[in-house]
Amino acid sequence: DLGGGTFDISIIEIAETDGEHTFEVLSTNGDTFLGGEDFDLRLIDYLADEFKKESGMDLHNDPLALQRLKEAAEKAKIELSSSQQTEVNLPYITADASGPKHLVQKLTRAKFESLVEELVENTLAPVKIALKDAGLDTGSIDDVILVGGQTRMPLVQQKVADFFGKEARRDVNPDEAVAMGAAIQAAVLSGDVNDVLLLDVTPLTLGIETLGGVASPLIDKNTTIPTKKSQVFSTADDNQTAVTIHVVQGERKQAAENKSLGRFDLSDIPPSPRGMPQIEVSFDLDANGILNVSAKDKATGKEQSIVIKASSGLSDEEIDKMVKDAEAHSADDKKFEVLITARNTADGLIHATKKTLEEAGDKASDEEKDAINNAITTLEEALKSDDKDDIEVKTKDLTDASSNLAQKLYAEQAAGAEAGSAGAAGNSAEAGADEAVDAEFEEVKEEHK
């Protein structure tokens, strides 16, 4: 779809079942700064430069002359789609001390194509990305439909044919297609049309901010809507009685770099050790693009929610900018993600080691306790910096320092298990396994489609 101001590409799968058609959007992409107006601008600049060479006058400084030139350039562009040559004739375009000036310039299709070839070439990059996102290649495409007046240009049609290896369909009016589609979809949503179903996709990833400022995705980019996804999260601190659910939209790993859609608090969580509460966060995105986000504490059944309307989302320009921004900063985001993972691992180890010392410190010698406490202090200092390697080294030091105590506890536990009967040992191991799951796993993934 190459229109006046933007370029869009959608990969769509059409299925027919018992006379009913399902249109599923597999992926979308585009360039919100590429359209027919850019083609006009190349022609305006060329005509103005040629006139300046002849007369020494710059039409860019004359708004009235520029408006006439714009209209003539668009007219010439349209004419060159059906003929090999045209003439731009603008009498009395401007004047100087010597009298009025006229602009008369012959223009061939070949010349115009040389001016805009780069723009036509720029449409192929989003097409390649859309195909990749859909998991398809050009050979998998059965039909290509061209929409938007600019697709009438022979060079555009030729590029499409060369890229896909087949001619585009010519039985769809490029000026009416979007309006027709919007009318059909409106009729589907209002219930007047029942034999057509459009399965659209979400243009950007939706998720929530988690420990360390990380954006944890729930609904990925290009997921077919309507859709519902749920995931279980937990608390980051002991006796934490409230959590803030911060909903973000975008492709960056850092939540702060994405667009904030809204936030709400789930309070009155019963005080308990970190990682124990189970808070189920659900995202429900309907066909109208309205997002319902809810958070529920599984223990108490207490629930809070927020509704984010489609209008509070992003324009095509913002979506395009955010996708490109994520691509440009992918290396930075990876570093950030690795650093936060190292920090969270270290923080979890400090917490677990302190708890072990409190509960079973009598099993360790004074020398071992001092070594563990020193390693904890050193690691806590390392956490104040952004040096991932240093954090990982200090984390390993703490693991090594506390390994003797851990071995003693496991040995004692094993001896206790052996002392019991075989049946009791089996039950004990099962119970131990259950406890390990509750204590260790802070995140459980569930998906509901």
Side-chain angles (χ1 to χ4, degrees):
D1 176 3
L2 190 56
T6 62
F7 169 67
D8 296 289
I9 163 82
S10 294
I11 311 291
I12 300 169
E13 187 170 58
I14 305 171
E16 186 178 357
T17 312
D18 299 330
E20 294 188 356
H21 291 84
T22 302
F23 294 76
E24 182 175 1
V25 181
L26 303 180
S27 66
T28 63
N29 211 285
D31 187 337
T32 51
F33 300 100
L34 177 61
E37 288 178 3
D38 297 290
F39 288 70
D40 295 349
L41 200 58
R42 291 283 172 100
L43 196 45
I44 290 165
D45 288 342
Y46 169 72
L47 292 170
D49 288 345
E50 290 299 303
F51 183 75
K52 189 176 181 180
K53 283 178 193 171
E54 289 175 19
S55 67
M57 298 181 72
D58 190 353
L59 295 178
H60 285 102
N61 301 324
D62 185 339
L64 281 174
L66 204 58
Q67 182 58 36
R68 285 183 67 195
L69 189 58
K70 186 179 187 304
E71 289 165 4
E74 189 175 0
K75 185 167 174 281
K77 177 186 77 171
I78 293 166
E79 285 175 4
L80 287 172
S81 288
S82 55
S83 60
Q84 291 293 333
Q85 185 171 305
T86 188
E87 184 178 78
V88 178
N89 192 336
L90 293 171
Y92 303 100
I93 185 73
T94 189
D96 63 6
S98 64
K101 301 286 180 186
H102 314 296
L103 187 152
V104 182
Q105 182 74 44
K106 278 192 167 38
L107 193 66
T108 63
R109 182 189 287 181
K111 181 61 188 174
F112 177 50
E113 287 180 349
S114 71
L115 293 171
V116 299
E117 191 171 15
E118 181 198 354
L119 297 176
V120 178
E121 202 66 42
N122 288 347
T123 62
L124 295 180
V127 176
K128 290 172 184 172
I129 295 168
L131 280 169
K132 183 167 173 275
D133 288 347
L136 299 171
D137 56 28
T138 52
S140 312
I141 304 298
D142 299 308
D143 283 306
V144 182
I145 298 170
L146 298 179
V147 179
Q150 192 57 55
T151 60
R152 284 197 167 93
M153 184 179 181
L155 180 63
V156 173
Q157 295 174 0
Q158 187 57 49
K159 282 283 182 193
V160 169
D162 291 346
F163 182 79
F164 287 101
K166 57 173 70 68
E167 294 286 330
R169 285 178 58 156
R170 298 184 184 276
D171 56 348
V172 177
N173 186 323
D175 293 315
E176 295 175 0
V178 172
M180 291 280 284
I184 293 167
Q185 179 64 355
V188 169
L189 293 173
S190 65
D192 294 330
V193 171
N194 299 312
D195 59 350
V196 172
L197 173 64
L198 171 67
L199 300 173
D200 206 351
V201 297
T202 176
L204 289 169
T205 299
L206 296 162
I208 65 168
E209 181 179 351
T210 54
L211 185 65
V214 176
S216 295
L218 268 87
I219 297 176
D220 290 324
K221 175 188 173 206
N222 280 330
T223 298
T224 301
I225 58 175
T227 186
K228 183 175 181 181
K229 296 279 177 74
S230 296
Q231 198 166 317
V232 176
F233 296 89
S234 194
T235 49
D237 295 315
D238 286 337
N239 303 319
Q240 188 176 329
T241 57
V243 290
T244 297
I245 308 296
H246 181 203
V247 184
V248 294
Q249 179 183 38
E251 303 309 306
R252 298 291 300 273
K253 294 290 184 189
Q254 301 179 48
E257 297 297 331
N258 291 321
K259 181 175 173 67
S260 172
L261 296 182
R263 63 176 75 219
F264 63 95
D265 292 331
L266 178 64
S267 53
D268 299 330
I269 299 168
S272 53
R274 61 184 262 168
M276 285 293 285
Q278 292 208 314
I279 296 144
E280 184 177 42
V281 178
S282 298
F283 275 37
D284 191 347
L285 188 61
D286 69 15
N288 294 312
I290 295 172
L291 177 65
N292 289 277
V293 182
S294 64
K296 182 179 181 180
D297 178 12
K298 286 189 164 186
T300 63
K302 191 173 174 62
E303 189 171 357
Q304 284 289 346
S305 62
I306 188 173
V307 177
I308 297 161
K309 300 237 170 30
S311 59
S312 62
L314 296 150
S315 67
D316 286 347
E317 285 84 355
E318 288 174 308
I319 289 169
D320 189 52
K321 182 178 179 297
M322 288 179 80
V323 171
K324 285 179 178 171
D325 189 47
E327 288 167 2
H329 292 89
S330 60
D332 293 340
D333 282 351
K334 189 69 189 165
K335 280 184 192 169
F336 170 78
E337 190 178 18
V338 169
L339 173 63
I340 295 301
T341 302
R343 272 202 171 132
N344 290 347
T345 302
D347 192 49
L349 182 62
I350 290 170
H351 179 270
T353 308
K354 282 181 175 177
K355 199 169 181 182
T356 305
L357 274 179
E358 279 174 25
E359 293 171 357
D362 55 324
K363 309 278 192 305
S365 66
D366 289 343
E367 195 178 311
E368 285 171 339
K369 278 186 197 172
D370 287 344
I372 292 170
N373 284 322
N374 287 338
I376 289 173
T377 306
T378 311
L379 182 52
E380 284 174 338
E381 280 301 312
L383 282 174
K384 293 175 185 175
S385 73
D386 288 337
D387 189 338
K388 175 194 74 82
D389 294 336
D390 187 42
I391 292 170
E392 287 180 342
V393 168
K394 301 296 192 293
T395 301
K396 187 178 182 303
D397 290 346
L398 177 55
T399 305
D400 294 343
S402 57
S403 62
N404 281 343
L405 176 57
Q407 283 169 13
K408 284 179 186 174
L409 290 173
Y410 284 130
E412 194 173 284
Q413 193 179 25
E418 280 171 23
S421 68
N427 293 337
S428 167
E430 242 174 71
D434 288 343
E435 282 165 24
V437 169
D438 285 340
E440 295 296 331
F441 290 95
E442 295 189 16
E443 185 177 305
V444 183
K445 293 187 178 178
E446 292 178 11
E447 288 192 4
H448 307 289
K449 288 194 178 177

